C-alpha cells in the first residue's frame, strides 16, 4: 500500500516535464520496487541502489526516485544483527541519502526544474519516513505475535497443570474413600461381629443350662438362629464393603509413593478381585522394601498390566549385581539379610502360587534385580 501511494504521488511529479517520457521510467521503477519485495531481505536494497545510480545518468528516472528511497530506507537482513559486517551495505538512513545524488545532479545540470527537484526531495523524505513507520509497525506486530504465543503457551501450561491437579485431587479423594470403606469394614468386623459371636455363645450356654425346660430351650434356640442369621448378614456385608474398597490401580500408586528411588510405572488394570489385588500389592511392597535395603538402584521400572487371561506384574531395578552378591559384614547383618531376602522372596512366591500363578525373581543379565509375577483369571482368583 505504501508503494502504491508513492506511485500515485510520483505521477504528478513526472507530468511536470512534458518532454520526458513517463511510461518507461514508471515501468523501470515498478520493476525495481517489485524486485525489492521478492529478493532475499539482505539483497532488498540492491535494485533500488541500481535505480538510484541509473537516475544520476538518466534524469527521466528522477520523478519515481521516492520508490527507490522507500526500499533503501527499509532494513535489510544485515540490519537485524547488532554488529553489521564491514562488507555489508550501509544502514537504512545512510542508504536513503543515496537518493540525494541524482537530485543534486539534476539540479546542477539544469535539465530539471528546481520545483521538480524540490518535490522529488520532499517525496524521498516522505518515503523514508513511511519506510520507518512501516518498520516500527512490523516490529510491534512481531512483538505482539511473540507475546501472544507466550501467553498461549502459558495458558496451555496452566491448563495442563490444572488437569494434573484435578487428577491428583480425584486420585486422593478416591484413595480416601477406599481407606474409609476399609476402616468401616474392619470396625464392623471387630466390634459388631465379635458382639454377635458372644451373644450366640451366650444363647448356646443358656440352652445347656435350661436343657430340662423345653420351652425355654426352644426360645433360646430361636434367638440363637436369629443371631446366626444376623452374623452371616454382617459378614457378607463386611466382605462386600471390603471388596469394594479395593482399587488395585489406586493401591499400587499409593504403594509406589513410598519407593526408595524414582519409579517409572505402567499401570493398566480395570479391576481385580480382592485376593489378587492384595497379593500384587504385597509383592510390590516387598520388592520395593528389598530394593531399599539391599540395592544401590537409582531407578525402578514397574509394569502392571491386565491381559484377557491373566494379570502380569514385573518390577526391575538398575542396581549393581556386585552389591547384591556381597556377603554381610556381621552375624546380625547376615541374619537380617537371610530373613529379609529369603523369607521375603518365599512369601511372595507362596502368595502368587496360592492363586495358581507363577513367580520368578533374580538378577538380570545386564544389571539390577527383577521380580515377575503372573496370576491367571480363574475361579481361584475371582
Amino acid at each position: 500500500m505504501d508503494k502504491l501511494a508513492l506511485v500515485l504521488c510520483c505521477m504528478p511529479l513526472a507530468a511536470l516535464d512534458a518532454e520526458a517520457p513517463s511510461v518507461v521510467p514508471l515501468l523501470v521503477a515498478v520493476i525495481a520496487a517489485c524486485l525489492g519485495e521478492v529478493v532475499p531481505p539482505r539483497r532488498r536494497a540492491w535494485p533500488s541502489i541500481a535505480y538510484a545510480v541509473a537516475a544520476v545518468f538518466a534524469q527521466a528516472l528522477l520523478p519515481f526516485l521516492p520508490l527507490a528511497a522507500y526500499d533503501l530506507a527499509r532494513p535489510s537482513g544485515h540490519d537485524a544483527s547488532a554488529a553489521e559486517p564491514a562488507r555489508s551495505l550501509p544502514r537504512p538512513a545512510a542508504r536513503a541519502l543515496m537518493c540525494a545524488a541524482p537530485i543534486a545532479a539534476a539540479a546542477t545540470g539544469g535539465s530539471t526544474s528546481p520545483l521538480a527537484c524540490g518535490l522529488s526531495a520532499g517525496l524521498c523524505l516522505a518515503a523514508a519516513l513511511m519506510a520507518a513507520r512501516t518498520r516500527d509497525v512490523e516490529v510491534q506486530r512481531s512483538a505482539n505475535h511473540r507475546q501472544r504465543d507466550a501467553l498461549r503457551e502459558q495458558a496451555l501450561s496452566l491448563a495442563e497443570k490444572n488437569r494434573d491437579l484435578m487428577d491428583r485431587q480425584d486420585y486422593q479423594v478416591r484413595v480416601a474413600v477406599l481407606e474409609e470403606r476399609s476402616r468401616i469394614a474392619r470396625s464392623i468386623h471387630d466390634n459388631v461381629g465379635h458382639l454377635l459371636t458372644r451373644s450366640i455363645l451366650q444363647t448356646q450356654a443358656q440352652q445347656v443350662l435350661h436343657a430340662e425346660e423345653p420351652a425355654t430351650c426352644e426360645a433360646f434356640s430361636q434367638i440363637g438362629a436369629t443371631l446366626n442369621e444376623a452374623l452371616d448378614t454382617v459378614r457378607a456385608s463386611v466382605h462386600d464393603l471390603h471388596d469394594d474398597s479395593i482399587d488395585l490401580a489406586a493401591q499400587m500408586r499409593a504403594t509406589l509413593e513410598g519407593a526408595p528411588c524414582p519409579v517409572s510405572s505402567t499401570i493398566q488394570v480395570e479391576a481385580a478381585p480382592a485376593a489378587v489385588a492384595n497379593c500384587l500389592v504385597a509383592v510390590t511392597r516387598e520388592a520395593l522394601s528389598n530394593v531399599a535395603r539391599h540395592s544401590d538402584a537409582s531407578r525402578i521400572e514397574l509394569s502392571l498390566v491386565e491381559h484377557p487371561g491373566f494379570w502380569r506384574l514385573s518390577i526391575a531395578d538398575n542396581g549393581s549385581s556386585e552389591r547384591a552378591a556381597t556377603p554381610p559384614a556381621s552375624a546380625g547383618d547376615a541374619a537380617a539379610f537371610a530373613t529379609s531376602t529369603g523369607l521375603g522372596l518365599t512369601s511372595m512366591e507362596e502368595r502368587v502360587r496360592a492363586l495358581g500363578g507363577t513367580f520368578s525373581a533374580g538378577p538380570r543379565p545386564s544389571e539390577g534385580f527383577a521380580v515377575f509375577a503372573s496370576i491367571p483369571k480363574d475361579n481361584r482368583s475371582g
Side-chain angles (χ1 to χ4, degrees):
M1 294 298 297
D2 290 344
K3 289 186 177 181
L4 179 60
L6 288 175
V7 170
L8 296 178
C9 293
C10 291
M11 294 298 293
L13 183 61
L16 291 178
D17 191 358
E19 298 180 358
S22 59
V23 177
V24 174
L26 174 62
L27 293 178
V28 175
V30 171
I31 292 174
C34 293
L35 288 177
E37 299 295 333
V38 299
V39 297
R42 64 178 58 193
R43 299 180 181 179
R44 177 184 298 161
W46 289 10
S48 298
I49 292 175
Y51 186 89
V53 173
V56 175
F57 304 97
Q59 302 297 323
L61 300 177
L62 186 64
F64 300 98
L65 190 61
L67 285 174
Y70 182 86
D71 282 334
L72 291 174
R74 296 172 64 186
S76 63
H78 293 288
D79 300 325
S81 60
E84 186 175 332
R87 65 177 183 275
S88 64
L89 296 174
R91 295 286 183 171
R95 290 198 302 261
L97 293 176
M98 296 178 62
C99 296
I103 297 175
T108 303
S111 59
T112 305
S113 64
L115 177 60
C117 293
L119 292 176
S120 179
L123 287 177
C124 288
L125 179 60
L129 295 177
M130 292 174 63
R133 180 189 60 83
T134 303
R135 178 191 59 195
D136 295 339
V137 171
E138 292 177 351
V139 170
Q140 184 62 38
R141 184 184 295 115
S142 178
N144 292 339
H145 289 170
R146 288 195 299 269
Q147 186 175 7
R148 182 195 61 186
D149 295 340
L151 291 176
R152 182 175 298 177
E153 182 180 1
Q154 185 178 4
L156 293 176
S157 178
L158 290 176
E160 183 178 0
K161 291 181 179 179
N162 188 34
R163 287 194 300 269
D164 293 341
L165 290 176
M166 294 297 295
D167 294 341
R168 181 69 177 178
Q169 182 180 3
D170 294 341
Y171 165 72
Q172 292 178 350
V173 170
R174 177 65 176 167
V175 171
V177 170
L178 297 179
E179 291 179 350
E180 183 64 16
R181 287 182 179 178
S182 181
R183 186 194 66 79
I184 294 174
R186 289 194 303 268
S187 178
I188 295 175
H189 178 272
D190 295 340
N191 298 325
V192 180
H194 290 173
L195 290 175
L196 290 175
T197 302
R198 187 172 64 181
S199 299
I200 293 172
L201 293 177
Q202 290 175 352
T203 57
Q204 292 175 355
Q206 292 297 326
Q207 291 179 33
V208 173
L209 292 176
H210 298 85
E212 297 178 356
E213 301 176 10
T216 304
C217 185
E218 179 64 22
F220 279 114
S221 177
Q222 293 178 0
I223 295 174
T226 303
L227 291 175
N228 277 315
E229 184 179 356
L231 181 60
D232 293 338
T233 303
V234 169
R235 286 176 176 172
S237 300
V238 168
H239 282 295
D240 292 340
L241 187 61
H242 179 67
D243 292 343
D244 291 340
S245 67
I246 297 177
D247 188 329
L248 179 55
Q251 288 193 357
M252 187 63 67
R253 292 188 178 94
T255 302
L256 295 180
E257 290 182 355
C261 57
V263 180
S264 175
S265 62
T266 301
I267 301 177
Q268 300 176 356
V269 289
E270 294 294 335
V276 173
N278 292 332
C279 174
L280 295 176
V281 171
V283 169
T284 302
R285 188 179 295 111
E286 183 64 29
L288 296 179
S289 177
N290 286 339
V291 171
R293 287 181 287 183
H294 308 293
S295 175
D296 57 352
S298 60
R299 186 182 71 258
I300 299 176
E301 296 179 358
L302 181 141
S303 175
L304 175 59
V305 181
E306 179 180 0
H307 295 279
F310 60 93
W311 292 273
R312 176 181 58 82
L313 172 66
S314 62
I315 306 172
D317 61 73
N318 64 341
S320 59
S321 57
E322 290 79 3
R323 178 171 178 178
T326 302
S330 62
D333 294 339
F337 182 83
T339 302
S340 60
T341 57
L343 294 182
L345 295 177
T346 302
S347 175
M348 287 191 285
E349 183 175 5
E350 289 177 352
R351 285 177 178 270
V352 174
R353 295 194 183 280
L355 298 176
T358 58
F359 177 85
S360 62
R364 295 196 296 176
S366 58
E367 61 177 1
F369 196 85
V371 174
F372 175 84
S374 175
I375 301 177
K377 293 182 176 180
D378 54 20
N379 293 332
R380 288 177 294 180
S381 63

